[in-house]
Amino acid sequence: MEFEYGEIYPFDEEGVNYSGTSWYELVGLDTAKQKLEQFVKAILQQSFFEDTRLPFRPSILLQGPPGTGKTALTLAFGQKEKFPIIILLTTKIIRAKLGQSGENLSNAFAYVKDYAIQRKKPLILFIDEFDSFARQRDDVQEIGEIKRLVNSLLTELDVLIAQHKNIILIAATNHANTIDRAAFRRFAIQIDFTIPAPELRHHIWSEFHRRIQLRIPECKWDLDTLVERTEGYTAADIERIVLSAAIEYIHQDLDTINTELLLQQLRYVTPTSKHMGKEELSDLLDLDSIDLRKIKGITDGFKTQASRL
Protein backbone atom coordinates (compact mmCIF):
# COMPACT_ATOMS: atom_id res chain seq x y z
CA MET A 1 0.00 0.00 0.00
CA GLU A 2 1.40 3.42 -0.98
CA PHE A 3 2.20 5.97 1.72
CA GLU A 4 4.08 9.15 0.84
CA TYR A 5 6.02 9.30 4.08
CA GLY A 6 6.88 5.65 4.68
CA GLU A 7 5.40 2.18 4.38
CA ILE A 8 2.17 0.43 5.39
CA TYR A 9 1.71 -3.22 6.35
CA PRO A 10 -2.07 -3.81 6.54
CA PHE A 11 -1.83 -7.01 8.57
CA ASP A 12 -5.51 -6.74 9.47
CA GLU A 13 -6.40 -7.56 5.87
CA GLU A 14 -6.45 -11.00 4.31
CA GLY A 15 -3.72 -12.08 1.91
CA VAL A 16 -1.04 -9.59 2.95
CA ASN A 17 2.28 -10.59 1.39
CA TYR A 18 4.92 -10.60 4.14
CA SER A 19 8.21 -12.49 3.71
CA GLY A 20 9.90 -11.43 6.93
CA THR A 21 10.59 -13.42 10.07
CA SER A 22 7.47 -14.55 11.92
CA TRP A 23 6.98 -14.08 15.66
CA TYR A 24 7.69 -17.75 16.35
CA GLU A 25 10.90 -17.73 14.29
CA LEU A 26 12.51 -14.88 16.23
CA VAL A 27 15.39 -16.35 18.24
CA GLY A 28 17.02 -14.82 21.32
CA LEU A 29 14.39 -12.15 21.86
CA ASP A 30 12.38 -13.84 24.59
CA THR A 31 12.65 -10.97 27.09
CA ALA A 32 11.77 -8.32 24.51
CA LYS A 33 8.86 -10.39 23.20
CA GLN A 34 7.49 -10.89 26.71
CA LYS A 35 7.74 -7.17 27.56
CA LEU A 36 6.04 -6.17 24.32
CA GLU A 37 3.18 -8.65 24.77
CA GLN A 38 2.62 -7.57 28.39
CA PHE A 39 2.63 -3.90 27.49
CA VAL A 40 0.22 -4.21 24.58
CA LYS A 41 -2.12 -6.32 26.72
CA ALA A 42 -2.17 -3.43 29.20
CA ILE A 43 -2.84 -0.95 26.38
CA LEU A 44 -5.95 -2.91 25.41
CA GLN A 45 -7.27 -2.48 28.98
CA GLN A 46 -7.57 1.32 28.85
CA SER A 47 -10.58 1.38 31.17
CA PHE A 48 -8.42 0.25 34.09
CA PHE A 49 -6.11 3.24 33.76
CA GLU A 50 -9.01 5.62 33.20
CA ASP A 51 -10.81 4.39 36.32
CA THR A 52 -7.66 4.54 38.48
CA ARG A 53 -6.49 7.80 36.92
CA LEU A 54 -3.05 6.35 36.36
CA PRO A 55 -1.22 8.14 33.55
CA PHE A 56 -0.55 5.62 30.81
CA ARG A 57 1.08 6.30 27.46
CA PRO A 58 0.76 3.62 24.75
CA SER A 59 4.35 4.20 23.64
CA ILE A 60 7.49 2.05 23.61
CA LEU A 61 11.11 2.88 22.76
CA LEU A 62 13.33 0.10 21.39
CA GLN A 63 17.00 0.92 21.69
CA GLY A 64 20.17 -0.92 20.71
CA PRO A 65 22.67 -1.41 17.87
CA PRO A 66 21.67 -2.22 14.29
CA GLY A 67 20.83 -5.83 13.49
CA THR A 68 19.60 -6.83 16.93
CA GLY A 69 15.95 -7.28 15.99
CA LYS A 70 14.09 -4.02 16.68
CA THR A 71 12.32 -3.74 13.34
CA ALA A 72 11.90 -7.50 12.95
CA LEU A 73 10.25 -7.72 16.39
CA THR A 74 7.79 -4.94 15.55
CA LEU A 75 6.79 -6.36 12.17
CA ALA A 76 6.49 -9.89 13.52
CA PHE A 77 4.28 -8.69 16.37
CA GLY A 78 1.99 -6.79 14.03
CA GLN A 79 1.65 -9.84 11.81
CA LYS A 80 0.89 -12.12 14.78
CA GLU A 81 -1.74 -9.83 16.28
CA LYS A 82 -3.12 -8.72 12.88
CA PHE A 83 -2.44 -5.07 13.77
CA PRO A 84 -1.74 -2.83 10.75
CA ILE A 85 1.65 -1.10 10.93
CA ILE A 86 2.54 2.30 9.51
CA ILE A 87 6.27 3.03 9.34
CA LEU A 88 7.57 6.61 9.18
CA LEU A 89 10.86 6.83 7.30
CA THR A 90 13.43 9.56 7.89
CA THR A 91 14.39 9.66 4.23
CA LYS A 92 10.85 10.53 3.20
CA ILE A 93 10.19 13.20 5.83
CA ILE A 94 13.36 15.18 6.55
CA ARG A 95 14.16 17.71 3.83
CA ALA A 96 16.73 20.50 3.46
CA LYS A 97 14.15 23.15 2.56
CA LEU A 98 13.25 25.36 5.51
CA GLY A 99 10.02 24.23 7.19
CA GLN A 100 9.45 21.29 4.84
CA SER A 101 10.41 18.61 7.39
CA GLY A 102 7.94 19.86 9.98
CA GLU A 103 5.18 20.07 7.37
CA ASN A 104 5.91 16.53 6.18
CA LEU A 105 5.82 15.28 9.76
CA SER A 106 2.46 16.93 10.44
CA ASN A 107 1.02 15.51 7.23
CA ALA A 108 2.30 12.04 8.10
CA PHE A 109 0.73 12.12 11.58
CA ALA A 110 -2.55 13.41 10.13
CA TYR A 111 -2.61 10.44 7.75
CA VAL A 112 -1.90 8.00 10.59
CA LYS A 113 -4.72 9.41 12.72
CA ASP A 114 -7.22 9.29 9.84
CA TYR A 115 -6.15 5.73 9.03
CA ALA A 116 -6.68 4.69 12.67
CA ILE A 117 -10.14 6.26 12.79
CA GLN A 118 -11.19 4.40 9.65
CA ARG A 119 -9.91 1.05 10.92
CA LYS A 120 -11.38 1.40 14.44
CA LYS A 121 -8.91 -1.18 15.79
CA PRO A 122 -5.38 -1.15 17.23
CA LEU A 123 -2.73 0.21 14.90
CA ILE A 124 1.03 0.37 15.33
CA LEU A 125 2.90 3.53 14.36
CA PHE A 126 6.56 2.59 14.00
CA ILE A 127 9.15 5.39 13.82
CA ASP A 128 12.52 4.00 12.83
CA GLU A 129 15.72 5.99 13.45
CA PHE A 130 13.80 8.03 16.02
CA ASP A 131 16.96 9.91 16.98
CA SER A 132 16.92 11.58 13.54
CA PHE A 133 13.56 13.18 14.42
CA ALA A 134 14.26 13.91 18.09
CA ARG A 135 17.84 15.05 18.52
CA GLN A 136 18.78 16.97 21.64
CA ARG A 137 17.81 20.60 21.20
CA ASP A 138 20.71 21.84 23.33
CA ASP A 139 23.25 20.40 20.86
CA VAL A 140 25.13 23.47 19.61
CA GLN A 141 25.93 21.68 16.36
CA GLU A 142 22.29 21.27 15.43
CA ILE A 143 20.69 23.85 13.16
CA GLY A 144 17.44 25.64 13.94
CA GLU A 145 15.46 23.50 11.50
CA ILE A 146 16.20 20.36 13.53
CA LYS A 147 15.08 22.11 16.72
CA ARG A 148 11.83 23.16 15.07
CA LEU A 149 11.33 19.57 13.90
CA VAL A 150 11.74 18.30 17.48
CA ASN A 151 9.18 20.82 18.73
CA SER A 152 6.75 19.71 16.02
CA LEU A 153 7.36 16.07 16.89
CA LEU A 154 6.66 16.62 20.60
CA THR A 155 3.39 18.38 19.79
CA GLU A 156 2.30 15.60 17.44
CA LEU A 157 3.20 12.91 20.00
CA ASP A 158 1.25 14.65 22.76
CA VAL A 159 -1.90 14.84 20.61
CA LEU A 160 -1.48 11.27 19.41
CA ILE A 161 -1.00 9.83 22.90
CA ALA A 162 -3.81 11.86 24.48
CA GLN A 163 -6.49 11.53 21.82
CA HIS A 164 -5.85 8.30 19.93
CA LYS A 165 -5.77 5.41 22.37
CA ASN A 166 -5.95 2.79 19.64
CA ILE A 167 -2.57 3.85 18.18
CA ILE A 168 0.42 2.06 19.68
CA LEU A 169 3.58 4.10 19.21
CA ILE A 170 6.79 2.09 18.83
CA ALA A 171 10.01 3.94 18.07
CA ALA A 172 13.47 2.48 17.45
CA THR A 173 16.89 4.04 17.79
CA ASN A 174 20.54 3.01 17.52
CA HIS A 175 21.65 6.16 19.38
CA ALA A 176 19.47 6.66 22.45
CA ASN A 177 22.05 9.00 24.01
CA THR A 178 21.34 11.64 21.32
CA ILE A 179 17.56 11.80 21.88
CA ASP A 180 16.09 14.92 23.44
CA ARG A 181 15.07 14.26 27.06
CA ALA A 182 11.57 15.62 26.51
CA ALA A 183 11.08 13.12 23.71
CA PHE A 184 12.32 10.33 25.99
CA ARG A 185 9.60 11.18 28.50
CA ARG A 186 6.90 10.51 25.90
CA PHE A 187 7.59 6.77 26.20
CA ALA A 188 6.10 4.62 28.93
CA ILE A 189 8.74 1.89 28.69
CA GLN A 190 12.07 1.20 27.03
CA ILE A 191 13.21 -2.19 25.75
CA ASP A 192 16.97 -2.66 25.37
CA PHE A 193 18.56 -4.78 22.64
CA THR A 194 22.17 -5.89 23.07
CA ILE A 195 24.97 -7.64 21.20
CA PRO A 196 24.66 -11.38 21.86
CA ALA A 197 26.91 -13.08 24.41
CA PRO A 198 28.64 -16.41 23.55
CA GLU A 199 25.73 -18.58 24.72
CA LEU A 200 23.32 -16.75 22.45
CA ARG A 201 25.74 -16.71 19.51
CA HIS A 202 26.00 -20.49 19.87
CA HIS A 203 22.22 -20.71 19.65
CA ILE A 204 22.17 -18.43 16.58
CA TRP A 205 24.84 -20.47 14.78
CA SER A 206 23.03 -23.69 15.70
CA GLU A 207 19.80 -22.40 14.21
CA PHE A 208 21.46 -21.39 10.95
CA HIS A 209 23.23 -24.76 10.84
CA ARG A 210 19.90 -26.54 11.25
CA ARG A 211 18.35 -24.56 8.42
CA ILE A 212 21.30 -25.10 6.06
CA GLN A 213 21.12 -28.83 6.77
CA LEU A 214 17.59 -28.85 5.37
CA ARG A 215 19.23 -28.46 1.96
CA ILE A 216 22.72 -29.83 2.67
CA PRO A 217 22.19 -32.63 5.24
CA GLU A 218 25.88 -33.64 5.30
CA CYS A 219 27.28 -30.19 6.18
CA LYS A 220 29.02 -30.04 9.56
CA TRP A 221 30.12 -26.92 11.42
CA ASP A 222 32.49 -26.39 14.35
CA LEU A 223 30.09 -24.26 16.36
CA ASP A 224 32.55 -23.51 19.17
CA THR A 225 35.05 -22.07 16.71
CA LEU A 226 32.38 -20.01 14.97
CA VAL A 227 31.19 -18.62 18.30
CA GLU A 228 34.74 -17.74 19.35
CA ARG A 229 35.55 -16.01 16.06
CA THR A 230 32.37 -13.91 15.95
CA GLU A 231 32.58 -11.97 19.19
CA GLY A 232 30.82 -8.62 18.72
CA TYR A 233 28.67 -9.88 15.85
CA THR A 234 24.88 -9.53 15.90
CA ALA A 235 22.47 -12.06 14.43
CA ALA A 236 22.18 -9.85 11.33
CA ASP A 237 25.98 -9.91 11.00
CA ILE A 238 26.01 -13.70 11.29
CA GLU A 239 23.22 -13.93 8.76
CA ARG A 240 25.36 -11.96 6.30
CA ILE A 241 28.23 -14.40 6.89
CA VAL A 242 25.99 -17.37 6.11
CA LEU A 243 24.48 -15.57 3.13
CA SER A 244 27.93 -14.77 1.71
CA ALA A 245 29.05 -18.39 2.17
CA ALA A 246 25.88 -19.70 0.54
CA ILE A 247 26.34 -17.44 -2.49
CA GLU A 248 29.89 -18.75 -2.91
CA TYR A 249 28.63 -22.32 -2.45
CA ILE A 250 26.18 -21.82 -5.31
CA HIS A 251 28.51 -19.83 -7.55
CA GLN A 252 31.46 -22.21 -7.17
CA ASP A 253 29.25 -25.30 -7.24
CA LEU A 254 30.87 -26.52 -4.02
CA ASP A 255 30.05 -29.80 -2.28
CA THR A 256 29.12 -28.24 1.05
CA ILE A 257 29.17 -25.17 3.29
CA ASN A 258 31.74 -25.92 5.97
CA THR A 259 33.35 -24.03 8.84
CA GLU A 260 36.32 -22.96 6.74
CA LEU A 261 34.08 -21.40 4.10
CA LEU A 262 32.15 -19.52 6.78
CA LEU A 263 35.32 -18.18 8.41
CA GLN A 264 36.55 -16.96 5.05
CA GLN A 265 33.54 -14.65 4.87
CA LEU A 266 34.64 -12.75 8.00
CA ARG A 267 36.84 -10.61 5.79
CA TYR A 268 33.70 -9.29 4.08
CA VAL A 269 31.44 -8.80 7.12
CA THR A 270 32.43 -6.21 9.71
CA PRO A 271 30.86 -6.79 13.15
CA THR A 272 28.39 -4.18 14.33
CA SER A 273 30.52 -3.58 17.44
CA LYS A 274 33.30 -2.13 15.25
CA HIS A 275 31.04 0.81 14.41
CA MET A 276 30.29 1.62 18.06
CA GLY A 277 32.13 3.79 20.54
CA LYS A 278 33.83 2.23 23.57
CA GLU A 279 31.28 3.55 26.09
CA GLU A 280 28.32 2.61 23.91
CA LEU A 281 29.72 -0.87 23.37
CA SER A 282 30.30 -1.54 27.08
CA ASP A 283 26.62 -0.83 27.74
CA LEU A 284 25.48 -3.31 25.12
CA LEU A 285 27.69 -6.35 25.51
CA ASP A 286 25.17 -8.29 27.54
CA LEU A 287 22.99 -11.36 27.34
CA ASP A 288 19.86 -10.19 25.57
CA SER A 289 18.25 -10.16 22.19
CA ILE A 290 18.45 -11.18 18.65
CA ASP A 291 16.50 -11.64 15.58
CA LEU A 292 17.18 -14.51 13.20
CA ARG A 293 15.90 -13.76 9.75
CA LYS A 294 14.30 -16.70 8.07
CA ILE A 295 16.18 -18.51 5.31
CA LYS A 296 13.44 -20.15 3.28
CA GLY A 297 15.41 -22.08 0.70
CA ILE A 298 19.12 -22.12 0.23
CA THR A 299 19.18 -22.39 -3.55
CA ASP A 300 16.23 -20.18 -4.51
CA GLY A 301 16.69 -17.61 -1.76
CA PHE A 302 20.38 -17.10 -2.18
CA LYS A 303 20.24 -17.11 -5.98
CA THR A 304 17.81 -14.19 -5.65
CA GLN A 305 20.24 -12.39 -3.35
CA ALA A 306 23.17 -13.13 -5.65
CA SER A 307 21.35 -11.65 -8.63
CA ARG A 308 21.17 -8.32 -6.79
CA LEU A 309 24.89 -8.09 -6.14
Side-chain angles (χ1 to χ4, degrees), residues 14-67:
E14 295 294 331
V16 175
N17 183 22
Y18 175 67
S19 59
T21 308
S22 75
W23 182 259
Y24 304 101
E25 292 165 335
L26 288 173
V27 177
L29 284 171
D30 292 347
T31 300
K33 289 165 74 173
Q34 182 181 34
K35 287 183 178 180
L36 182 57
E37 285 188 311
Q38 290 175 344
F39 188 75
V40 173
K41 183 178 180 179
I43 289 175
L44 300 178
Q45 300 294 325
Q46 288 288 336
S47 60
F48 175 87
F49 298 99
E50 293 170 356
D51 293 344
T52 57
R53 297 184 181 180
L54 289 173
F56 186 78
R57 300 178 300 280
S59 52
I60 309 166
L61 179 65
L62 313 179
Q63 80 93 18

Side-chain angles (χ1 to χ4, degrees), residues 215 243 246-247 250 294-308:
R215 297 299 295 263
L243 173 62
I247 291 173
I250 294 168
K294 185 178 181 183
I295 299 180
K296 289 187 175 180
I298 296 301
T299 303
D300 295 338
F302 289 123
K303 279 184 176 178
T304 301
Q305 294 287 345
S307 68
R308 297 174 181 170

Side-chain angles (χ1 to χ4, degrees), residues 179-284:
I179 294 177
D180 191 272
R181 301 312 302 176
F184 246 124
R185 291 194 293 271
R186 267 58 179 186
F187 295 95
I189 67 169
Q190 176 179 323
I191 300 178
D192 296 324
F193 292 70
T194 60
I195 292 176
E199 296 86 349
L200 187 50
R201 288 203 306 281
H202 192 283
H203 186 63
I204 293 167
W205 277 113
S206 296
E207 177 63 14
F208 274 120
H209 186 215
R210 182 189 68 79
R211 295 179 184 182
I212 294 294
Q213 284 185 318
L214 295 176
R215 297 299 295 263
I216 315 174
E218 68 278 7
C219 86
K220 298 185 183 301
W221 295 358
D222 183 344
L223 296 178
D224 291 337
T225 297
L226 291 170
V227 169
E228 182 181 352
R229 293 287 300 276
T230 52
E231 182 178 358
Y233 285 74
T234 66
D237 297 332
I238 293 173
E239 180 189 56
R240 285 193 290 273
I241 294 171
V242 178
L243 173 62
S244 181
I247 291 173
E248 188 164 343
Y249 159 78
I250 294 168
H251 180 69
Q252 300 291 343
D253 196 22
L254 301 176
D255 294 330
T256 189
I257 297 177
N258 56 25
T259 302
E260 181 180 1
L261 181 62
L262 290 164
L263 292 176
Q264 289 173 1
Q265 310 314 309
L266 296 181
R267 74 185 78 171
Y268 308 119
V269 181
T270 304
T272 294
S273 59
K274 290 289 187 181
H275 303 292
M276 301 169 63
K278 184 176 180 181
E279 181 178 347
E280 187 179 15
L281 180 60
S282 66
D283 291 338
L284 292 167

Side-chain angles (χ1 to χ4, degrees), residues 137-143 147:
R137 286 169 291 178
D138 57 359
D139 188 339
V140 296
Q141 296 182 347
E142 291 296 353
I143 61 175
K147 295 178 181 180

Side-chain angles (χ1 to χ4, degrees), residues 74-135:
T74 303
L75 290 173
F77 182 75
Q79 183 198 36
K80 179 176 79 78
E81 297 295 335
K82 298 189 182 304
F83 292 168
I85 297 179
I86 297 181
I87 301 178
L88 299 190
L89 296 176
T90 309
T91 54
K92 295 192 176 184
I93 292 180
I94 296 181
R95 292 290 181 266
K97 184 179 178 181
L98 185 66
Q100 187 64 56
S101 298
E103 182 179 342
N104 289 345
L105 188 68
S106 296
N107 291 339
F109 269 82
Y111 181 94
V112 170
K113 288 180 282 191
D114 287 343
Y115 190 98
I117 291 172
Q118 294 172 12
R119 296 295 172 120
K120 297 181 180 179
K121 58 177 61 178
L123 174 150
I124 294 174
L125 171 60
F126 182 60
I127 306 179
D128 201 4
E129 298 181 342
F130 184 73
D131 48 280
S132 296
F133 294 100
R135 288 195 176 278

